[in-house]
Amino acid sequence: MWIFGRKGASGFSATSTAEEVTEGIHGSGLTAIVTGATSGIGSETTRVLALRGVHVIMAVRNIQKAIQVKETILKDTPDAKVDVMELDLSSMASIRNFAAKYRSLGLPLHILINNAGVLSPQFKLSKDNIELHFATNHLGHFLLTNLLLETMKTTSYEQNTEGRIINVSSEGHRFAYSGHLSDYMNNELSYSSIYAYGLSKLANILHANELARLLKEDGVNITANSLHPGFIDTELFRGHNIFSIICNRILRYFIKDLSQGAATTCYLALNPQVKGVTGEYFVDSNFAKPSLRAKDQELAKELWEFSMGLTSSK
């Protein structure tokens, strides 16, 4: 029987905080990019990584809001290294511009946290005319990762360090559309916000798994893992009646605060327990089992090729 708060093999549980899972760990000399860092677990992840000495790049749409988050962090941790860069994951042009600017800075890259996400009740298309959930939650991060991969490889080789790529997924991946990935891509008639969101979260896990396989095959010292942060009442779900009902009636005893919600991300980013661990799915800073589809290697390869086709021509 699973009990909320019971510690797993890692020594941590659903109630462990981001500070607790990184306690005593020094991240000075490391550089990380965190997408969607202006609110929710993204801002808490940024705060805790900066607290541990990591140079954090906040990759965000809202520059002014990010600056406010940065100023708050600096008040508590005056020597924190935090910078802000503009990134709109629903636009491939913005992603390419961000990657080019980042490479031009000559900064290393040790940790890439693909955290940003959207949840839209209505059917919407991205700036590249792709269904918004898939475009932002998966495809944008897929392209961003590919564009920054050489920088991560160079950093890993030159500094003899392990690179870590972390995809923030969700248990919502279990509610994805069935069938071929392309069947529901831009089909407004069959649109369901829950299933569309679920598909994008399934893609997050499949992406990490296939990336892990390819990196391991190439002998590169970079890991790729995915995670479910837990059920958190963040801005992502506000305004969505069905999720409010679920949270209030069913999940209220299991809802995490932001410090708990960011714990697994920070654990995967810094904790030495996961050194060399790749292609895994984590919940509450412990190994977990995703759905059978999420472990489907052929589906992961199909998604990779499909994503390459969508991003290579944009």
Side-chain angles (χ1 to χ4, degrees), residues 222-241:
I222 299 174
T223 63
N225 293 291
S226 57
L227 68 102
H228 166 59
F231 297 104
I232 308 148
D233 184 18
T234 68
E235 291 181 4
L236 181 67
F237 297 106
R238 287 170 195 162
H240 301 270
N241 292 334

Side-chain angles (χ1 to χ4, degrees), residues 81-313:
K81 296 180 180 179
V82 181
D83 287 304
V84 176
M85 291 180 64
E86 186 174 7
L87 172 66
D88 181 354
L89 285 161
S90 69
S91 165
M92 294 191 202
S94 175
I95 296 165
R96 293 187 186 281
N97 187 49
F98 173 91
K101 284 185 177 180
Y102 189 86
R103 291 193 298 264
S104 72
L105 295 173
L107 290 171
L109 183 57
H110 305 86
I111 304 163
L112 174 60
I113 300 177
N114 293 320
N115 165 80
V118 298
L119 176 57
S120 173
Q122 288 85 32
F123 177 83
K124 293 181 181 179
L125 295 177
S126 72
K127 293 178 181 178
D128 301 292
N129 293 315
I130 298 169
E131 193 279 315
L132 190 63
H133 291 95
F134 192 83
T136 305
N137 299 352
H138 163 65
L139 205 62
H141 285 129
F142 177 86
L143 178 59
L144 179 67
T145 301
N146 282 353
L147 293 174
L148 295 173
L149 203 52
E150 284 305 313
T151 300
M152 292 196 74
K153 288 179 180 179
T154 299
T155 300
S156 175
Y157 177 76
E158 291 182 347
Q159 299 187 13
N160 193 27
T161 57
E162 178 181 83
R164 297 187 179 185
I165 298 170
I166 299 150
N167 284 359
V168 179
S169 180
S170 167
E171 279 292 278
H173 80 274
R174 301 180 190 277
F175 302 98
Y177 292 114
S178 59
H180 292 291
L181 297 170
S182 58
D183 290 348
Y184 302 95
M185 192 50 51
N186 285 9
N187 190 341
E188 186 172 0
L189 293 176
S190 63
Y191 180 77
S192 160
S193 60
I194 295 176
Y195 290 134
Y197 179 76
L199 178 63
S200 70
K201 295 290 100 180
L202 172 63
N204 290 153
I205 301 175
L206 293 170
H207 170 220
N209 291 351
E210 180 64 5
L211 181 58
R213 186 188 70 80
L214 293 170
L215 291 169
K216 195 172 183 179
E217 193 175 80
D218 291 341
V220 179
N221 190 21
I222 299 174
T223 63
N225 293 291
S226 57
L227 68 102
H228 166 59
F231 297 104
I232 308 148
D233 184 18
T234 68
E235 291 181 4
L236 181 67
F237 297 106
R238 287 170 195 162
H240 301 270
N241 292 334
I242 187 166
F243 287 102
S244 296
I245 293 170
I246 291 172
C247 286
N248 290 332
R249 296 184 181 178
I250 303 172
L251 301 174
R252 59 180 174 173
Y253 299 110
F254 304 100
I255 291 177
K256 295 182 177 183
D257 60 29
L258 292 180
S259 64
Q260 296 165 337
T264 306
T265 303
C266 291
Y267 174 77
L268 291 176
L270 292 180
N271 200 289
Q273 288 184 359
V274 289
K275 183 178 181 180
V277 175
T278 192
E280 297 289 347
Y281 177 67
F282 289 79
V283 177
D284 300 335
S285 302
N286 283 281
F287 289 104
K289 292 183 179 180
S291 68
L292 290 176
R293 289 187 78 202
K295 295 188 291 185
D296 188 329
Q297 293 183 1
E298 291 305 313
L299 186 60
K301 292 178 182 178
E302 177 189 327
L303 172 68
W304 188 278
E305 292 303 319
F306 182 59
S307 301
M308 285 295 292
L310 288 173
T311 55
S312 61
S313 60

Side-chain angles (χ1 to χ4, degrees), residues 4-58:
F4 187 75
R6 173 181 285 179
K7 291 182 179 180
S10 68
F12 303 114
S13 71
T15 59
S16 298
T17 67
E19 288 194 26
E20 288 171 349
V21 303
T22 59
E23 187 175 357
I25 298 173
H26 302 286
S28 56
L30 300 179
T31 301
I33 291 175
V34 181
T35 67
T38 54
S39 63
I41 61 174
S43 61
E44 176 67 2
T45 297
T46 298
R47 184 189 73 81
V48 173
L49 292 186
L51 178 67
R52 301 306 181 210
V54 178
H55 179 194
V56 184
I57 311 298
M58 301 175 68

